[in-house]
Amino acid sequence: GEWAHVHRIDRSWHVLLSPADAAEVLKSGYGELCPVAAAGWAPIGYALIYAPRNAKEVQVLLQILVASWLYCAHQWEQE
């Protein structure tokens, strides 16, 4: 049931995104596909988001977190 979590050691995040949103994050350079997703052990939208370095990147992170929550909330409604 987890849709996102922060890594306290470096402030990066793991998030579950729709495949389209994950592709956009990868293309934009704000994150990468989590290795467990690349190996097929997690959904393809499971991504590692890099820690924000400035206020603009914090805003991008917030947009990514909202997209993740909306995607996961919709998935839960379908169950």
Side-chain angles (χ1 to χ4, degrees), residues 4-64:
H5 67 261
V6 65
H7 301 131
R8 293 179 188 213
I9 194 160
D10 66 357
R11 304 293 186 229
S12 65
W13 288 76
H14 271 133
V15 299
L16 181 58
L17 296 163
S18 71
D21 287 341
E24 186 63 30
V25 165
L26 301 179
K27 186 173 93 174
S28 70
Y30 284 105
E32 60 189 63
L33 192 59
C34 186
V36 296
W41 300 330
I44 196 65
Y46 196 51
L48 173 70
I49 308 302
Y50 304 134
R53 298 168 293 184
N54 55 46
K56 177 184 177 230
E57 290 182 0
V58 168
Q59 293 304 311
V60 171
L61 172 62
L62 291 174
Q63 290 176 333
I64 292 169

Side-chain angles (χ1 to χ4, degrees), residues 3-4 15-17 21 63-73:
W3 56 273
V15 299
L16 181 58
L17 296 163
D21 287 341
Q63 290 176 333
I64 292 169
L65 291 173
V66 167
S68 174
W69 184 85
L70 289 172
Y71 175 68
C72 290

